[in-house]
């Protein structure tokens, strides 16, 4: 197992870097990105005419390992988490996210 920290934006930039306009790239992006967000340069993919395909990820095969990576700090998600709130504010945060307010990209609900 590699012993270093991976930031979410590094993965997207690294996946995009070696690609030219003649290649179809298969990359998985989990989440909803309704607005341009600097840490996820999806607009560059569109500018290069790169095809992006989507589909269901086999999450159950990987979730335990992924949670362990986040819990031990080997994967850092702070660059995409914009709000951390109690579960009681879920409805309010859904409205903020849905209306694209307060630069809301990813919300973590705390029980």
């Amino acid at each position: 197992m590699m012993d270093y920290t991976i930031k979410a934006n590094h993965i997207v930039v690294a996946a995009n870097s070696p690609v030219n306009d003649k290649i179809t790239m298969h990359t998985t992006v989990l989440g909803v990105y309704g607005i341009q967000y600097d840490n996820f340069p999806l607009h560059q993919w569109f500018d290069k005419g790169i095809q992006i395909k989507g589909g269901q990820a086999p999450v159950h095969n990987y979730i335990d390992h992924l949670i362990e990576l986040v819990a031990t700090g080997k994967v850092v998600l702070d660059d995409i988490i914009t709000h951390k709130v109690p579960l009681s504010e879920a409805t309010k945060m859904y409205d903020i996210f849905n209306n694209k307010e307060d630069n809301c990209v990813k919300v973590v609900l705390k029980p």
Side-chain angles (χ1 to χ4, degrees):
M1 164 98 21
M2 294 180 201
D3 189 21
Y4 58 88
T5 301
I6 303 170
K7 290 204 170 237
N9 63 317
H10 295 163
I11 294 168
V12 175
V13 171
N16 186 45
S17 297
V19 176
N20 64 35
D21 59 355
K22 307 284 189 253
I23 295 173
T24 299
M25 178 173 63
H26 298 278
T27 303
T28 302
V29 178
L30 304 175
V32 177
Y33 305 103
I35 60 173
Q36 179 177 339
Y37 182 60
D38 290 340
N39 286 345
F40 287 90
L42 296 179
H43 61 283
Q44 291 177 2
W45 294 353
F46 293 106
D47 290 346
K48 291 181 177 185
I50 298 168
Q51 295 179 13
I52 301 173
K53 291 182 155 188
Q56 290 289 333
V59 177
H60 295 290
N61 295 340
Y62 305 105
I63 193 68
D64 293 335
H65 178 65
L66 295 173
I67 289 173
E68 179 184 337
L69 292 174
V70 172
T72 59
K74 299 212 186 268
V75 172
V76 179
L77 302 176
D78 292 346
D79 56 332
I80 62 171
I81 297 171
T82 56
H83 295 74
K84 295 180 182 180
V85 298
L87 185 58
S88 61
E89 294 185 29
T91 302
K92 173 186 166 191
M93 290 311 302
Y94 177 81
D95 289 337
I96 289 172
F97 176 81
N98 193 45
N99 295 319
K100 298 177 176 68
E101 298 171 349
D102 197 28
N103 295 316
C104 185
V105 175
K106 182 68 76 176
V107 177
V108 172
L109 301 171
K110 297 181 180 184

mmCIF file of all heavy atoms in Angstrom, residues 3-43:
data_model
loop_
_atom_site.group_PDB
_atom_site.id
_atom_site.type_symbol
_atom_site.label_atom_id
_atom_site.label_comp_id
_atom_site.label_asym_id
_atom_site.label_seq_id
_atom_site.Cartn_x
_atom_site.Cartn_y
_atom_site.Cartn_z
ATOM 1 N N ASP A 3 2.058 4.980 0.787
ATOM 2 C CA ASP A 3 1.919 5.767 2.000
ATOM 3 C C ASP A 3 2.053 7.250 1.671
ATOM 4 O O ASP A 3 3.091 7.853 1.896
ATOM 5 C CB ASP A 3 2.962 5.332 3.028
ATOM 6 C CG ASP A 3 2.708 5.965 4.375
ATOM 7 O OD1 ASP A 3 1.564 6.389 4.636
ATOM 8 O OD2 ASP A 3 3.643 6.052 5.175
ATOM 9 N N TYR A 4 1.026 7.824 1.088
ATOM 10 C CA TYR A 4 1.017 9.256 0.810
ATOM 11 C C TYR A 4 -0.429 9.738 0.730
ATOM 12 O O TYR A 4 -1.349 8.947 0.620
ATOM 13 C CB TYR A 4 1.778 9.607 -0.461
ATOM 14 C CG TYR A 4 1.272 8.920 -1.705
ATOM 15 C CD1 TYR A 4 0.258 9.486 -2.470
ATOM 16 C CD2 TYR A 4 1.810 7.719 -2.114
ATOM 17 C CE1 TYR A 4 -0.205 8.860 -3.597
ATOM 18 C CE2 TYR A 4 1.344 7.087 -3.251
ATOM 19 C CZ TYR A 4 0.341 7.671 -3.991
ATOM 20 O OH TYR A 4 -0.107 7.048 -5.112
ATOM 21 N N THR A 5 -0.588 11.022 0.791
ATOM 22 C CA THR A 5 -1.908 11.623 0.772
ATOM 23 C C THR A 5 -2.315 11.936 -0.663
ATOM 24 O O THR A 5 -1.538 12.474 -1.430
ATOM 25 C CB THR A 5 -1.912 12.926 1.602
ATOM 26 O OG1 THR A 5 -1.529 12.600 2.933
ATOM 27 C CG2 THR A 5 -3.270 13.578 1.592
ATOM 28 N N ILE A 6 -3.559 11.597 -1.003
ATOM 29 C CA ILE A 6 -4.099 11.873 -2.334
ATOM 30 C C ILE A 6 -5.236 12.868 -2.173
ATOM 31 O O ILE A 6 -6.165 12.622 -1.424
ATOM 32 C CB ILE A 6 -4.650 10.587 -2.987
ATOM 33 C CG1 ILE A 6 -3.574 9.519 -3.077
ATOM 34 C CG2 ILE A 6 -5.238 10.895 -4.355
ATOM 35 C CD1 ILE A 6 -4.091 8.161 -3.476
ATOM 36 N N LYS A 7 -5.158 13.997 -2.852
ATOM 37 C CA LYS A 7 -6.261 14.954 -2.840
ATOM 38 C C LYS A 7 -7.117 14.700 -4.074
ATOM 39 O O LYS A 7 -6.616 14.351 -5.134
ATOM 40 C CB LYS A 7 -5.739 16.388 -2.842
ATOM 41 C CG LYS A 7 -5.075 16.753 -1.541
ATOM 42 C CD LYS A 7 -5.122 18.238 -1.371
ATOM 43 C CE LYS A 7 -4.679 18.581 0.024
ATOM 44 N NZ LYS A 7 -5.661 19.331 0.725
ATOM 45 N N ALA A 8 -8.420 14.878 -3.917
ATOM 46 C CA ALA A 8 -9.354 14.564 -5.000
ATOM 47 C C ALA A 8 -9.029 15.326 -6.280
ATOM 48 O O ALA A 8 -9.100 14.772 -7.367
ATOM 49 C CB ALA A 8 -10.778 14.861 -4.549
ATOM 50 N N ASN A 9 -8.656 16.603 -6.182
ATOM 51 C CA ASN A 9 -8.387 17.376 -7.391
ATOM 52 C C ASN A 9 -7.152 16.865 -8.125
ATOM 53 O O ASN A 9 -7.063 16.952 -9.340
ATOM 54 C CB ASN A 9 -8.253 18.860 -7.084
ATOM 55 C CG ASN A 9 -7.081 19.169 -6.178
ATOM 56 O OD1 ASN A 9 -6.843 18.473 -5.202
ATOM 57 N ND2 ASN A 9 -6.359 20.215 -6.491
ATOM 58 N N HIS A 10 -6.172 16.281 -7.415
ATOM 59 C CA HIS A 10 -4.976 15.751 -8.061
ATOM 60 C C HIS A 10 -5.326 14.595 -8.988
ATOM 61 O O HIS A 10 -4.709 14.428 -10.040
ATOM 62 C CB HIS A 10 -3.953 15.286 -7.032
ATOM 63 C CG HIS A 10 -3.415 16.403 -6.191
ATOM 64 N ND1 HIS A 10 -2.765 16.186 -5.005
ATOM 65 C CD2 HIS A 10 -3.449 17.753 -6.341
ATOM 66 C CE1 HIS A 10 -2.409 17.339 -4.468
ATOM 67 N NE2 HIS A 10 -2.823 18.301 -5.268
ATOM 68 N N ILE A 11 -6.295 13.792 -8.586
ATOM 69 C CA ILE A 11 -6.695 12.648 -9.398
ATOM 70 C C ILE A 11 -7.282 13.135 -10.723
ATOM 71 O O ILE A 11 -6.943 12.643 -11.786
ATOM 72 C CB ILE A 11 -7.704 11.767 -8.639
ATOM 73 C CG1 ILE A 11 -7.017 11.130 -7.422
ATOM 74 C CG2 ILE A 11 -8.292 10.692 -9.549
ATOM 75 C CD1 ILE A 11 -7.963 10.485 -6.450
ATOM 76 N N VAL A 12 -8.162 14.126 -10.658
ATOM 77 C CA VAL A 12 -8.800 14.635 -11.873
ATOM 78 C C VAL A 12 -7.773 15.287 -12.791
ATOM 79 O O VAL A 12 -7.756 15.045 -13.993
ATOM 80 C CB VAL A 12 -9.928 15.626 -11.521
ATOM 81 C CG1 VAL A 12 -10.501 16.255 -12.776
ATOM 82 C CG2 VAL A 12 -11.021 14.914 -10.739
ATOM 83 N N VAL A 13 -6.887 16.104 -12.233
ATOM 84 C CA VAL A 13 -5.861 16.771 -13.041
ATOM 85 C C VAL A 13 -4.929 15.741 -13.661
ATOM 86 O O VAL A 13 -4.595 15.822 -14.845
ATOM 87 C CB VAL A 13 -5.080 17.801 -12.198
ATOM 88 C CG1 VAL A 13 -3.886 18.338 -12.968
ATOM 89 C CG2 VAL A 13 -6.002 18.942 -11.781
ATOM 90 N N ALA A 14 -4.501 14.742 -12.894
ATOM 91 C CA ALA A 14 -3.599 13.711 -13.408
ATOM 92 C C ALA A 14 -4.262 12.909 -14.526
ATOM 93 O O ALA A 14 -3.620 12.571 -15.519
ATOM 94 C CB ALA A 14 -3.153 12.792 -12.275
ATOM 95 N N ALA A 15 -5.536 12.619 -14.375
ATOM 96 C CA ALA A 15 -6.246 11.862 -15.401
ATOM 97 C C ALA A 15 -6.379 12.671 -16.680
ATOM 98 O O ALA A 15 -6.360 12.127 -17.780
ATOM 99 C CB ALA A 15 -7.622 11.461 -14.888
ATOM 100 N N ASN A 16 -6.503 13.975 -16.551
ATOM 101 C CA ASN A 16 -6.701 14.863 -17.699
ATOM 102 C C ASN A 16 -5.392 15.184 -18.414
ATOM 103 O O ASN A 16 -5.378 15.392 -19.624
ATOM 104 C CB ASN A 16 -7.363 16.151 -17.222
ATOM 105 C CG ASN A 16 -7.744 17.069 -18.349
ATOM 106 O OD1 ASN A 16 -8.300 16.637 -19.341
ATOM 107 N ND2 ASN A 16 -7.429 18.334 -18.204
ATOM 108 N N SER A 17 -4.292 15.217 -17.712
ATOM 109 C CA SER A 17 -3.031 15.715 -18.249
ATOM 110 C C SER A 17 -2.530 15.010 -19.520
ATOM 111 O O SER A 17 -2.147 15.682 -20.459
ATOM 112 C CB SER A 17 -1.946 15.655 -17.176
ATOM 113 O OG SER A 17 -2.289 16.509 -16.112
ATOM 114 N N PRO A 18 -2.486 13.671 -19.571
ATOM 115 C CA PRO A 18 -1.891 13.037 -20.747
ATOM 116 C C PRO A 18 -2.849 12.891 -21.926
ATOM 117 O O PRO A 18 -2.513 12.282 -22.916
ATOM 118 C CB PRO A 18 -1.496 11.659 -20.220
ATOM 119 C CG PRO A 18 -2.508 11.367 -19.175
ATOM 120 C CD PRO A 18 -2.811 12.711 -18.540
ATOM 121 N N VAL A 19 -4.039 13.451 -21.833
ATOM 122 C CA VAL A 19 -5.066 13.205 -22.827
ATOM 123 C C VAL A 19 -5.054 14.280 -23.904
ATOM 124 O O VAL A 19 -4.946 15.460 -23.615
ATOM 125 C CB VAL A 19 -6.450 13.153 -22.143
ATOM 126 C CG1 VAL A 19 -7.551 12.992 -23.164
ATOM 127 C CG2 VAL A 19 -6.481 12.026 -21.133
ATOM 128 N N ASN A 20 -5.177 13.859 -25.158
ATOM 129 C CA ASN A 20 -5.338 14.825 -26.239
ATOM 130 C C ASN A 20 -6.739 14.677 -26.824
ATOM 131 O O ASN A 20 -7.552 13.911 -26.329
ATOM 132 C CB ASN A 20 -4.247 14.665 -27.298
ATOM 133 C CG ASN A 20 -4.319 13.326 -27.992
ATOM 134 O OD1 ASN A 20 -5.398 12.788 -28.221
ATOM 135 N ND2 ASN A 20 -3.161 12.772 -28.339
ATOM 136 N N ASP A 21 -7.013 15.389 -27.915
ATOM 137 C CA ASP A 21 -8.372 15.387 -28.461
ATOM 138 C C ASP A 21 -8.689 14.160 -29.321
ATOM 139 O O ASP A 21 -9.740 14.096 -29.925
ATOM 140 C CB ASP A 21 -8.630 16.674 -29.245
ATOM 141 C CG ASP A 21 -7.659 16.850 -30.398
ATOM 142 O OD1 ASP A 21 -6.733 16.044 -30.537
ATOM 143 O OD2 ASP A 21 -7.839 17.806 -31.159
ATOM 144 N N LYS A 22 -7.808 13.194 -29.395
ATOM 145 C CA LYS A 22 -8.026 11.990 -30.202
ATOM 146 C C LYS A 22 -8.325 10.757 -29.352
ATOM 147 O O LYS A 22 -8.435 9.668 -29.854
ATOM 148 C CB LYS A 22 -6.788 11.701 -31.050
ATOM 149 C CG LYS A 22 -6.311 12.858 -31.897
ATOM 150 C CD LYS A 22 -7.187 13.036 -33.108
ATOM 151 C CE LYS A 22 -6.589 14.030 -34.059
ATOM 152 N NZ LYS A 22 -7.254 15.290 -34.109
ATOM 153 N N ILE A 23 -8.427 10.923 -28.041
ATOM 154 C CA ILE A 23 -8.536 9.788 -27.134
ATOM 155 C C ILE A 23 -9.860 9.843 -26.377
ATOM 156 O O ILE A 23 -10.319 10.910 -25.994
ATOM 157 C CB ILE A 23 -7.373 9.791 -26.116
ATOM 158 C CG1 ILE A 23 -6.052 9.584 -26.838
ATOM 159 C CG2 ILE A 23 -7.569 8.741 -25.040
ATOM 160 C CD1 ILE A 23 -4.842 9.728 -25.946
ATOM 161 N N THR A 24 -10.471 8.692 -26.183
ATOM 162 C CA THR A 24 -11.616 8.594 -25.282
ATOM 163 C C THR A 24 -11.079 8.122 -23.940
ATOM 164 O O THR A 24 -10.430 7.087 -23.852
ATOM 165 C CB THR A 24 -12.660 7.590 -25.800
ATOM 166 O OG1 THR A 24 -13.126 8.036 -27.061
ATOM 167 C CG2 THR A 24 -13.819 7.476 -24.826
ATOM 168 N N MET A 25 -11.314 8.900 -22.897
ATOM 169 C CA MET A 25 -10.804 8.582 -21.567
ATOM 170 C C MET A 25 -11.942 8.043 -20.714
ATOM 171 O O MET A 25 -13.040 8.596 -20.726
ATOM 172 C CB MET A 25 -10.234 9.849 -20.928
ATOM 173 C CG MET A 25 -9.718 9.640 -19.531
ATOM 174 S SD MET A 25 -8.882 11.092 -18.876
ATOM 175 C CE MET A 25 -10.186 12.281 -18.842
ATOM 176 N N HIS A 26 -11.699 6.991 -19.984
ATOM 177 C CA HIS A 26 -12.678 6.423 -19.079
ATOM 178 C C HIS A 26 -12.249 6.763 -17.649
ATOM 179 O O HIS A 26 -11.295 6.191 -17.136
ATOM 180 C CB HIS A 26 -12.792 4.915 -19.269
ATOM 181 C CG HIS A 26 -13.258 4.545 -20.639
ATOM 182 N ND1 HIS A 26 -14.580 4.557 -20.995
ATOM 183 C CD2 HIS A 26 -12.574 4.205 -21.749
ATOM 184 C CE1 HIS A 26 -14.694 4.223 -22.259
ATOM 185 N NE2 HIS A 26 -13.471 3.997 -22.740
ATOM 186 N N THR A 27 -12.920 7.720 -17.058
ATOM 187 C CA THR A 27 -12.613 8.164 -15.710
ATOM 188 C C THR A 27 -13.913 8.220 -14.926
ATOM 189 O O THR A 27 -14.936 8.628 -15.457
ATOM 190 C CB THR A 27 -11.971 9.575 -15.726
ATOM 191 O OG1 THR A 27 -10.810 9.517 -16.543
ATOM 192 C CG2 THR A 27 -11.609 10.030 -14.336
ATOM 193 N N THR A 28 -13.881 7.840 -13.680
ATOM 194 C CA THR A 28 -15.071 7.891 -12.841
ATOM 195 C C THR A 28 -15.002 9.106 -11.940
ATOM 196 O O THR A 28 -14.006 9.319 -11.262
ATOM 197 C CB THR A 28 -15.173 6.622 -11.968
ATOM 198 O OG1 THR A 28 -15.203 5.486 -12.830
ATOM 199 C CG2 THR A 28 -16.417 6.648 -11.118
ATOM 200 N N VAL A 29 -16.046 9.913 -11.953
ATOM 201 C CA VAL A 29 -16.171 11.051 -11.046
ATOM 202 C C VAL A 29 -17.432 10.818 -10.236
ATOM 203 O O VAL A 29 -18.522 10.728 -10.788
ATOM 204 C CB VAL A 29 -16.266 12.386 -11.815
ATOM 205 C CG1 VAL A 29 -16.452 13.536 -10.848
ATOM 206 C CG2 VAL A 29 -15.023 12.592 -12.669
ATOM 207 N N LEU A 30 -17.279 10.664 -8.935
ATOM 208 C CA LEU A 30 -18.416 10.418 -8.072
ATOM 209 C C LEU A 30 -18.940 11.734 -7.535
ATOM 210 O O LEU A 30 -18.187 12.558 -7.046
ATOM 211 C CB LEU A 30 -18.010 9.522 -6.894
ATOM 212 C CG LEU A 30 -17.389 8.178 -7.276
ATOM 213 C CD1 LEU A 30 -16.935 7.446 -6.042
ATOM 214 C CD2 LEU A 30 -18.359 7.341 -8.064
ATOM 215 N N GLY A 31 -20.231 11.951 -7.605
ATOM 216 C CA GLY A 31 -20.821 13.164 -7.070
ATOM 217 C C GLY A 31 -21.629 13.902 -8.111
ATOM 218 O O GLY A 31 -21.810 13.446 -9.227
ATOM 219 N N VAL A 32 -22.139 15.051 -7.729
ATOM 220 C CA VAL A 32 -22.940 15.888 -8.611
ATOM 221 C C VAL A 32 -22.209 17.205 -8.769
ATOM 222 O O VAL A 32 -21.917 17.881 -7.793
ATOM 223 C CB VAL A 32 -24.337 16.152 -7.998
ATOM 224 C CG1 VAL A 32 -25.143 17.077 -8.888
ATOM 225 C CG2 VAL A 32 -25.061 14.832 -7.773
ATOM 226 N N TYR A 33 -21.876 17.576 -9.990
ATOM 227 C CA TYR A 33 -21.152 18.816 -10.238
ATOM 228 C C TYR A 33 -21.957 19.673 -11.193
ATOM 229 O O TYR A 33 -21.765 19.651 -12.387
ATOM 230 C CB TYR A 33 -19.746 18.514 -10.794
ATOM 231 C CG TYR A 33 -19.008 17.586 -9.876
ATOM 232 C CD1 TYR A 33 -18.874 16.248 -10.195
ATOM 233 C CD2 TYR A 33 -18.521 18.039 -8.663
ATOM 234 C CE1 TYR A 33 -18.233 15.382 -9.331
ATOM 235 C CE2 TYR A 33 -17.879 17.174 -7.797
ATOM 236 C CZ TYR A 33 -17.737 15.852 -8.142
ATOM 237 O OH TYR A 33 -17.119 15.004 -7.280
ATOM 238 N N GLY A 34 -22.894 20.421 -10.649
ATOM 239 C CA GLY A 34 -23.777 21.245 -11.452
ATOM 240 C C GLY A 34 -23.174 22.581 -11.820
ATOM 241 O O GLY A 34 -23.688 23.273 -12.685
ATOM 242 N N ILE A 35 -22.083 22.977 -11.179
ATOM 243 C CA ILE A 35 -21.445 24.260 -11.465
ATOM 244 C C ILE A 35 -19.954 24.024 -11.682
ATOM 245 O O ILE A 35 -19.410 23.009 -11.280
ATOM 246 C CB ILE A 35 -21.648 25.269 -10.298
ATOM 247 C CG1 ILE A 35 -21.058 24.725 -9.002
ATOM 248 C CG2 ILE A 35 -23.110 25.608 -10.125
ATOM 249 C CD1 ILE A 35 -21.050 25.706 -7.857
ATOM 250 N N GLN A 36 -19.299 25.004 -12.312
ATOM 251 C CA GLN A 36 -17.850 24.906 -12.481
ATOM 252 C C GLN A 36 -17.191 25.070 -11.122
ATOM 253 O O GLN A 36 -17.539 25.940 -10.346
ATOM 254 C CB GLN A 36 -17.355 25.996 -13.418
ATOM 255 C CG GLN A 36 -15.868 25.969 -13.633
ATOM 256 C CD GLN A 36 -15.425 27.030 -14.619
ATOM 257 O OE1 GLN A 36 -16.210 27.514 -15.406
ATOM 258 N NE2 GLN A 36 -14.166 27.383 -14.556
ATOM 259 N N TYR A 37 -16.237 24.202 -10.834
ATOM 260 C CA TYR A 37 -15.539 24.226 -9.564
ATOM 261 C C TYR A 37 -14.064 24.058 -9.875
ATOM 262 O O TYR A 37 -13.678 23.086 -10.505
ATOM 263 C CB TYR A 37 -16.074 23.101 -8.669
ATOM 264 C CG TYR A 37 -15.461 23.045 -7.292
ATOM 265 C CD1 TYR A 37 -15.563 24.125 -6.426
ATOM 266 C CD2 TYR A 37 -14.791 21.918 -6.865
ATOM 267 C CE1 TYR A 37 -15.008 24.069 -5.166
ATOM 268 C CE2 TYR A 37 -14.234 21.855 -5.603
ATOM 269 C CZ TYR A 37 -14.346 22.937 -4.764
ATOM 270 O OH TYR A 37 -13.799 22.889 -3.507
ATOM 271 N N ASP A 38 -13.231 24.994 -9.456
ATOM 272 C CA ASP A 38 -11.819 25.012 -9.849
ATOM 273 C C ASP A 38 -11.066 23.736 -9.522
ATOM 274 O O ASP A 38 -10.132 23.367 -10.226
ATOM 275 C CB ASP A 38 -11.102 26.198 -9.211
ATOM 276 C CG ASP A 38 -11.541 27.517 -9.815
ATOM 277 O OD1 ASP A 38 -12.083 27.515 -10.926
ATOM 278 O OD2 ASP A 38 -11.349 28.551 -9.167
ATOM 279 N N ASN A 39 -11.420 23.068 -8.438
ATOM 280 C CA ASN A 39 -10.694 21.852 -8.084
ATOM 281 C C ASN A 39 -11.062 20.667 -8.971
ATOM 282 O O ASN A 39 -10.414 19.641 -8.935
ATOM 283 C CB ASN A 39 -10.933 21.491 -6.620
ATOM 284 C CG ASN A 39 -10.177 22.412 -5.685
ATOM 285 O OD1 ASN A 39 -9.276 23.122 -6.104
ATOM 286 N ND2 ASN A 39 -10.530 22.410 -4.429
ATOM 287 N N PHE A 40 -12.123 20.796 -9.748
ATOM 288 C CA PHE A 40 -12.523 19.752 -10.683
ATOM 289 C C PHE A 40 -12.644 20.391 -12.062
ATOM 290 O O PHE A 40 -13.702 20.864 -12.441
ATOM 291 C CB PHE A 40 -13.857 19.116 -10.265
ATOM 292 C CG PHE A 40 -13.715 18.241 -9.066
ATOM 293 C CD1 PHE A 40 -13.866 18.755 -7.791
ATOM 294 C CD2 PHE A 40 -13.395 16.909 -9.210
ATOM 295 C CE1 PHE A 40 -13.708 17.952 -6.682
ATOM 296 C CE2 PHE A 40 -13.244 16.092 -8.101
ATOM 297 C CZ PHE A 40 -13.403 16.617 -6.840
ATOM 298 N N PRO A 41 -11.556 20.408 -12.828
ATOM 299 C CA PRO A 41 -11.535 21.124 -14.116
ATOM 300 C C PRO A 41 -12.264 20.369 -15.227
ATOM 301 O O PRO A 41 -11.697 20.071 -16.277
ATOM 302 C CB PRO A 41 -10.044 21.260 -14.406
ATOM 303 C CG PRO A 41 -9.446 20.045 -13.759
ATOM 304 C CD PRO A 41 -10.262 19.826 -12.504
ATOM 305 N N LEU A 42 -13.528 20.034 -14.999
ATOM 306 C CA LEU A 42 -14.289 19.304 -16.007
ATOM 307 C C LEU A 42 -14.427 20.102 -17.298
ATOM 308 O O LEU A 42 -14.528 19.525 -18.381
ATOM 309 C CB LEU A 42 -15.674 18.947 -15.465
ATOM 310 C CG LEU A 42 -15.690 17.999 -14.268
ATOM 311 C CD1 LEU A 42 -17.127 17.742 -13.811
ATOM 312 C CD2 LEU A 42 -14.999 16.696 -14.591
ATOM 313 N N HIS A 43 -14.416 21.432 -17.189
ATOM 314 C CA HIS A 43 -14.541 22.264 -18.385
ATOM 315 C C HIS A 43 -13.401 21.994 -19.376
ATOM 316 O O HIS A 43 -13.586 22.121 -20.575
ATOM 317 C CB HIS A 43 -14.600 23.741 -18.002
ATOM 318 C CG HIS A 43 -13.377 24.233 -17.278
ATOM 319 N ND1 HIS A 43 -13.135 23.964 -15.947
ATOM 320 C CD2 HIS A 43 -12.329 24.957 -17.717
ATOM 321 C CE1 HIS A 43 -11.985 24.502 -15.591
ATOM 322 N NE2 HIS A 43 -11.475 25.116 -16.647
#
